Amino acid sequence: EETEQLLELFKLLADKEFRTRTEGVMLLLDHCKNSPQLVSTTIVQIFDHFILRLQDCNKKVNQQALEVLALMIPMLSSALRPVLVSLVVAVTENLNSK
């Protein structure tokens, strides 16, 4: 079941439709709230997909990803260590482009 959840998340985050990508961002937040262990154990794979939303060409998706990231940081805290550098780079590039 966890594999199916991850595949669905990855599918939503990579979709061509911006509304669907936004759904993926919100689903990730739900997983952080309801299944933090799942997110923590697969953090690198998840953030490979999520970081792209922090650099999304659609402003709505981009904004939603930034807001969700701010909510996820306290929930995931030390689990973020493996993705911290790439996360900081993505957020820095995002903020520099504004």
Side-chain angles (χ1 to χ4, degrees), residues 25-87:
V25 170
M26 296 310 296
L27 180 60
L28 176 55
L29 180 60
D30 286 344
H31 285 323
C32 288
K33 290 177 182 176
N34 301 320
S35 306
Q37 187 63 32
L38 169 66
V39 176
S40 295
T41 57
T42 57
I43 193 102
V44 173
Q45 295 88 346
I46 289 173
F47 273 71
D48 283 348
H49 292 83
F50 177 69
I51 285 175
L52 297 174
R53 300 301 55 97
L54 291 169
Q55 301 166 328
D56 202 283
C57 59
N58 185 286
K59 291 180 184 179
K60 292 178 183 180
V61 176
N62 192 289
Q63 181 66 35
Q64 190 69 45
L66 284 171
E67 291 173 8
V68 164
L69 177 62
L71 296 172
M72 289 189 319
I73 289 172
M75 288 184 237
L76 299 176
S77 61
S78 62
L80 289 171
R81 185 168 284 137
V83 296
L84 200 55
V85 171
S86 56
L87 197 55

Side-chain angles (χ1 to χ4, degrees), residues 1-15 20 23-24 27-28 31 38 42 45-46 49:
E1 184 180 324
E2 289 180 355
T3 302
E4 289 177 24
Q5 289 176 336
L6 289 174
L7 290 175
E8 177 66 16
L9 176 64
F10 298 159
K11 179 181 161 197
L12 293 174
L13 287 172
D15 199 89
T20 307
E23 286 177 37
L27 180 60
L28 176 55
H31 285 323
L38 169 66
T42 57
Q45 295 88 346
I46 289 173
H49 292 83

